Amino acid sequence: MRNKLRFCLALKRLLEQGECRLTKDLADFASSETIQIDGKRVILQDREYVEQYFQKHCQGVCSDYDRLVKLGYEPRSESDLQDGLSLIAHLNKSPHIEDVKLLSASLFGQAKRIERSSFLSRILRDYWPKKQDIVLLRCFSPFYINQQIELFQLTALLGAVALRLSYLQPLDNLQKQQNKQVIAVTSENLAPFLHLNLPEGFLIYTEGFAMLESVVSFLKAIEPAVVVHFGDVDVKGLQIYEKIATRMPGCRFYPDKETLAEILAKMQFDSRSVEYPDAEYQTEEIKELAKFLNAMGGPVIEQETLLHLCPDGLLKFIRGSG
């Protein structure tokens, strides 16, 4: 079955250049009167006919494709093209984050259409961070909302608290205990977020990159004296930290070089390794850490392994950052 998007793009190239590379879609379209196949090339024969065909069947598809490409997205099929445009149109109108399956069902009639498409999932990740207003946190010190709701007690009762920042506007309705400095630790992964306990302050889940916008908004509102990001030691983990650090001056990454040296000495198995792009990072802290990791063979270490090999390391690091 012909991929209409690929066919239309190939036909457009053929009209622009007079000839192009042979594709299966164009081979199905070939005839002695319209286009000629010469080995692995296709040569335009009847320009007037092909132009009329293109305007009737392909002009709209190519225009829609160009719209998405200008936004940074390159669909591979007509279904991704049309569904991508529908999703973007909805996200531009909708001011709130919705359940992904409900959104998918309402737009496409299939609850799992978005999550099964890497193309649509990428669009969703790009658009929703601009509109995020949910923070998932655990509070270990008295901290009030509107002088009534106490987050420390809620955490003790429920284990964790999901706050929707749009219901806390202005964010200065958040009040800490008088004269008490706030400590905030952000966690890339869910398991450490759920199982770590802090002596005080906030533990906040970033869900990788997914909730960074709302996390940064919350951090700015509580004005912590100490901010530490606890993340995976991998290329993405360092990038997540920099997304926070460039907007929260004074934020530090755990584990640091000293902790990593201690952990690597304890590891009795080989971790997978990568090449850290040290020149591409924005902060001197992470550039130096990336160079250190490359010198150590480029190890990749997940948060859970870090906690297992150095269970008290994070608390010591926080105390040393105060």
Side-chain angles (χ1 to χ4, degrees), residues 233-235 238 253 255 257 260 264 274 276 281 286-301:
V233 179
D234 59 16
V235 172
L238 301 191
F253 181 76
K257 286 195 291 187
L260 278 170
L264 289 169
V274 297
Y276 288 88
Y281 291 114
I286 294 303
K287 285 180 180 180
E288 290 303 314
L289 183 59
K291 290 176 183 177
F292 169 79
L293 288 166
N294 285 332
M296 299 295 285
V300 171
I301 312 172

Side-chain angles (χ1 to χ4, degrees), residues 17-35:
Q17 301 170 12
E19 63 176 74
C20 67
R21 182 174 60 86
L22 175 65
T23 67
K24 182 179 182 302
D25 303 301
L26 283 178
D28 294 340
F29 182 73
S31 72
S32 58
E33 295 83 18
T34 56
I35 60 176

Side-chain angles (χ1 to χ4, degrees), residues 113-274:
R113 169 67 175 122
I114 294 176
E115 67 180 44
R116 286 176 174 169
S117 167
S118 59
F119 178 72
L120 297 179
S121 295
R122 185 193 156 204
I123 293 174
L124 200 63
R125 285 194 302 271
D126 287 348
Y127 272 71
W128 269 359
K130 301 171 186 175
K131 301 172 180 175
Q132 287 174 7
D133 69 348
I134 293 175
V135 174
L136 187 61
L137 59 85
R138 299 174 68 213
C139 182
F140 299 91
S141 303
F143 212 96
Y144 293 86
I145 301 173
N146 295 329
Q147 299 181 341
Q148 297 175 354
I149 303 171
E150 212 283 280
L151 294 177
F152 178 51
Q153 292 179 1
L154 282 177
T155 300
L157 286 170
L158 304 175
V161 180
L163 292 181
R164 194 159 189 177
L165 299 187
S166 58
Y167 292 123
L168 296 176
Q169 300 296 342
L171 287 178
D172 55 15
N173 285 335
L174 292 160
Q175 291 114 16
K176 62 188 176 184
Q177 193 176 41
Q178 192 172 12
N179 298 324
K180 185 74 174 177
Q181 288 190 322
V182 179
I183 294 171
V185 177
T186 56
S187 175
E188 176 182 344
N189 297 337
L190 184 60
F193 166 78
L194 293 174
H195 294 99
L196 271 170
N197 289 309
L198 302 180
E200 58 182 312
F202 287 96
L203 184 58
I204 307 168
Y205 178 42
T206 73
E207 195 182 352
F209 288 98
M211 300 175 76
L212 286 181
E213 289 295 318
S214 54
V215 167
V216 170
S217 295
F218 184 78
L219 289 173
K220 288 180 178 293
I222 62 175
E223 299 179 337
V226 175
V227 185
V228 172
H229 177 70
F230 178 27
D232 289 336
V233 179
D234 59 16
V235 172
K236 186 183 83 169
L238 301 191
Q239 290 171 342
I240 290 170
Y241 164 72
E242 287 206 317
K243 292 282 187 182
I244 300 173
T246 52
R247 297 171 63 183
M248 293 297 298
C251 181
R252 296 190 63 197
F253 181 76
Y254 177 83
D256 59 356
K257 286 195 291 187
E258 290 73 17
T259 307
L260 278 170
E262 177 184 343
I263 288 170
L264 289 169
K266 291 180 179 178
M267 291 179 70
Q268 298 179 349
F269 54 90
D270 292 331
S271 69
R272 63 188 179 91
S273 59
V274 297

Side-chain angles (χ1 to χ4, degrees), residues 91-103:
L91 293 171
N92 281 329
K93 285 190 226 175
S94 173
H96 300 299
I97 291 177
E98 307 160 55
D99 180 88
V100 175
K101 289 184 178 178
L102 288 176
L103 172 62

